[in-house]
Amino acid sequence: MTMRGEKKYIAAIDQGTTNTRCILFDRGGRPVRSAQAEHAQIFPQPGWVEHDALEIWTRTQEVIRGALGSGGIAPDEIAGIGITNQRETTVVWERATGRPIYNAIVWQCMRTQKFCSQWLRTPGWEQNEAGAGRAKEITGLLVNPYFSGTKIKWILDNVPGARERAARGELLFGNVDTWLIWNLTGGPEGGVHVTDVSNASRTMLMNIETLEWDETMTDFLDIPVAMLPEIRPSVCVYGTTTERGPFGAALPVAGDLGDQQAALFGQTCFAVGEAKNTYGTGCFLLMNIGEAPALSTNGLLTTAAYSLEQGKCMYALEGSIANTGSAVQWLRDNLRIVDESPDSEYLAGKVDDSGGVCFVPAFSGLYAPYWDMTARGAIVGITRYTRKEHIIRATLESICYQTRDVARAMEADSGVSLAELRVDGGAVKNNLLMQMQADILGGTVVRPVVNETTALGAAYAAGLATGFWRDTDELRANWAEDTRFEPAVSEAKRESGYRRWKKAIEKSKGWVD
Ligand code: ADP
């Protein structure tokens, strides 16, 4: 028998690039109810990507009502709310009305590419091939349109009067976490304006050591500090929801993590050296490196992983790969040699190997660890013998080889060997892909039972802040293994395949001028 008002769930809101979900988790970390909704992708020009921030807020309210309504769940059964979000995406809105002054500029948007190139030519801001330079020393990141800083600057430069209004405190900036928390806690009537360290570390405005907004960066980009949210821990009661909001009650908003850091948290990678790789459109490999923000010399980013306490955090090294699952989508939509992405498993399994074919899916350049924006896709090693199954197999191999590149960079930077890699994301259901990953990595690949690790990480943060879960040990006990993949090829075969991959990478580099 359950008592009225007993806290049984944590609600996680996972606001992603293409859709928004609300999932209710029980004490065992199991997803119990969920609802999801898509929002529009807006492409005003080639390379530009926007979202309507008001639509995102509307979809968020719908999925919250959907998740609660579908199970007849009373708000007083919910102990707290955790937020996780697409990172770097930039919203600027009016404090008095809650109206955005421009569409949200999405992380993938390349509109500030030209500014970034000029920035890198500014004396004192040069960057070497591995991305080392002043920007990295201050923020842990590279100068790149990917991060929020130049997106905020673009809005302030292009919306008339915006910079002056921002300096007067009339405009607020936030990533999507900040935008949702502000709206959930009252919006123009008392909404709290906060973010957490994991999101702030993706703006290029936060000092990676002090975990505070950095004057050198805000001055250089001419961004008034008055518009920036307060930086708080990831596990923290930020405020309470309003009764007229989608929860219909006053509930604590108590967790906030960027999506990749949330997946690390959901995979309970709390110890130094523990790492996870998420297989979606791209891949994101993050390793917990502890309480010191060691900078990469091998093309990786240093990022705040999570914070349990104001002014302190655990850091992560991050290897971001732009195209992995998207290469499988390309086989489906452009070459039309698979009907659905999961069919890649059966078709690639019809051949023993790729028949010497290598595919580098550098559709939009190469990200970590190469950072070559001039690279383009290449399929090499084709002979008269090559069949579509070889190309499909080479596509799956490319996901594993890119992961190996990043994993090796991570081992070189951290000095920790990646003996075991925890995986999650849409593509990990592909057993052949996971076996190939173990073979190519030469290490164990472990797939957990709960694959919703991003939402789970946000739920864990909120559950710790509200006492729903006692400590991280209790969370670790929730983590359960589904399947373990062990390497099953010889060292000689692994290394000859990897040498071929490295040759293919060289073919793809520097393709466009
Ligand atoms: P995202 O969160 O980035 O939108 P998901 O985690 O939903 O992505 O994963 C979807 C991606 O994974 C797509 O790019 C799809 O092509 C790929 N994918 C999904 N299932 C499989 C599969 N069984 N085998 C290979 N790739 C897959």
Side-chain angles (χ1 to χ4, degrees):
M1 201 181 78
T2 55
M3 289 187 316
R4 233 191 92 72
E6 190 193 342
K7 303 294 185 196
K8 290 192 286 195
Y9 310 108
I10 293 283
I13 297 166
D14 178 357
Q15 204 304 300
T17 308
T18 56
N19 62 60
T20 306
R21 286 179 304 165
C22 178
I23 305 181
L24 302 182
F25 289 94
D26 67 10
R27 254 175 231 284
R30 289 173 293 255
V32 181
R33 297 275 182 280
S34 71
Q36 76 168 53
E38 286 193 13
H39 60 269
Q41 305 294 313
I42 303 165
F43 304 109
Q45 290 186 30
W48 291 31
V49 191
E50 298 176 357
H51 292 157
D52 174 352
L54 284 174
E55 186 190 359
I56 286 180
W57 170 229
T58 302
R59 298 288 165 259
T60 303
Q61 296 177 75
E62 285 168 10
V63 298
I64 293 168
R65 292 198 174 97
L68 266 60
S70 67
I73 297 202
D76 62 3
E77 293 175 293
I78 297 173
I81 300 154
I83 312 283
T84 179
N85 53 296
Q86 52 169 322
R87 305 178 300 175
E88 299 97 8
T89 298
T90 297
V91 190
V92 177
W93 70 94
E94 292 178 345
R95 186 195 291 270
T97 65
R99 266 200 305 270
I101 62 163
Y102 195 83
N103 274 338
I105 301 184
V106 177
W107 60 276
Q108 299 150 318
C109 187
M110 299 292 287
R111 79 183 63 198
T112 61
Q113 173 79 61
K114 210 169 129 201
F115 173 76
C116 288
S117 305
Q118 287 164 358
W119 185 358
L120 287 171
R121 288 196 298 270
T122 310
W125 291 98
E126 300 86 353
Q127 212 167 259
N128 77 5
E129 261 198 7
R134 191 166 173 203
K136 192 167 218 178
E137 279 161 26
I138 299 172
T139 67
L141 309 173
L142 310 136
V143 172
N144 196 288
Y146 180 16
F147 308 108
S148 315
T150 62
K151 299 181 196 292
I152 307 173
K153 176 178 164 51
W154 190 94
I155 293 176
L156 298 179
D157 286 343
N158 286 277
V159 177
R163 188 167 275 108
E164 295 69 34
R165 296 185 66 199
R168 287 199 299 270
E170 292 169 25
L171 301 181
L172 302 178
F173 153 76
N175 294 123
V176 176
D177 61 320
T178 301
W179 167 243
L180 293 183
I181 295 173
W182 188 80
N183 278 295
L184 283 166
T185 58
E189 284 119 53
V192 294
H193 188 221
V194 295
T195 188
D196 93 300
V197 294
S198 72
N199 276 293
S201 74
R202 313 299 293 186
T203 58
M204 274 206 104
L205 304 178
M206 190 188 83
N207 186 297
I208 195 69
E209 293 204 11
T210 64
L211 309 180
E212 287 167 3
W213 300 121
D214 187 278
E215 224 176 74
T216 306
M217 301 308 293
T218 53
D219 284 356
F220 183 81
L221 294 170
D222 201 4
I223 295 172
V225 179
M227 75 188 300
L228 303 180
E230 192 185 336
I231 304 174
R232 307 289 304 274
S234 322
V235 173
C236 167
V237 177
Y238 307 103
T240 44
T241 56
T242 60
E243 290 196 12
R244 60 176 197 293
F247 285 99
L251 300 175
V253 182
D256 179 9
L257 285 161
D259 54 10
Q260 296 307 327
Q261 289 95 331
L264 188 75
F265 207 72
Q267 291 266 30
T268 67
C269 294
F270 303 129
V272 174
E274 288 182 330
K276 68 87 200 177
N277 195 21
T278 301
Y279 296 74
T281 311
C283 277
F284 295 85
L285 205 169
L286 273 77
M287 179 193 272
N288 186 327
I289 56 167
E291 293 181 22
L295 294 182
S296 169
T297 51
N298 293 281
L300 305 175
L301 308 173
T302 300
T303 208
Y306 60 88
S307 156
L308 305 176
E309 201 185 319
Q310 189 77 35
K312 282 178 117 178
C313 82
M314 294 296 265
Y315 291 94
L317 280 175
E318 172 171 326
S320 337
I321 306 169
N323 289 293
T324 55
S326 57
V328 181
Q329 284 172 336
W330 181 77
L331 298 182
R332 184 193 66 190
D333 301 337
N334 297 48
L335 293 194
R336 301 188 183 203
I337 55 176
V338 301
D339 289 332
E340 297 294 340
S341 297
D343 297 342
S344 59
E345 179 168 0
Y346 160 73
L347 290 165
K350 285 178 44 172
V351 288
D352 292 335
D353 54 38
S354 68
V357 173
C358 247
F359 178 14
V360 184
F363 300 139
S364 49
L366 286 167
Y367 283 49
Y370 304 104
W371 298 103
D372 182 352
M373 297 303 142
T374 65
R376 288 296 177 268
I379 301 180
V380 296
I382 298 172
T383 64
R384 188 69 181 75
Y385 163 82
T386 304
R387 292 193 287 137
K388 71 171 184 179
E389 288 80 5
H390 294 122
I391 292 178
I392 296 166
R393 194 161 178 120
T395 307
L396 297 186
E397 282 181 357
S398 78
I399 299 176
C400 306
Y401 281 127
Q402 293 190 90
T403 296
R404 173 165 169 167
D405 284 335
V406 165
R408 288 295 169 267
M410 211 158 261
E411 290 181 332
D413 275 333
S414 66
V416 178
S417 119
L418 263 178
E420 191 175 293
L421 183 65
R422 294 184 171 190
V423 298
D424 53 52
V428 304
K429 293 188 194 88
N430 187 323
N431 287 317
L432 177 64
L433 175 69
M434 293 297 102
Q435 184 56 51
M436 284 163 61
Q437 184 67 83
D439 290 343
I440 285 172
L441 211 51
T444 309
V445 169
V446 188
R447 183 172 65 194
V449 173
V450 176
N451 192 25
E452 299 288 358
T453 52
T454 303
L456 183 59
Y460 279 168
L464 285 177
T466 53
F468 186 76
W469 286 295
R470 213 174 36 246
D471 52 27
T472 51
D473 287 343
E474 197 179 346
L475 304 182
R476 271 186 187 283
N478 277 346
W479 189 90
E481 187 175 306
D482 170 53
T483 313
R484 181 170 281 262
F485 300 87
E486 301 288 354
V489 298
S490 70
E491 186 72 14
K493 189 167 177 205
R494 170 164 43 251
E495 293 312 316
S496 72
Y498 192 55
R499 276 196 299 277
R500 198 173 58 217
W501 166 255
K502 287 293 210 187
K503 276 179 14 193
I505 282 280
E506 290 309 315
K507 306 278 177 212
S508 83
K509 277 174 152 182
W511 186 258
V512 292
D513 297 327

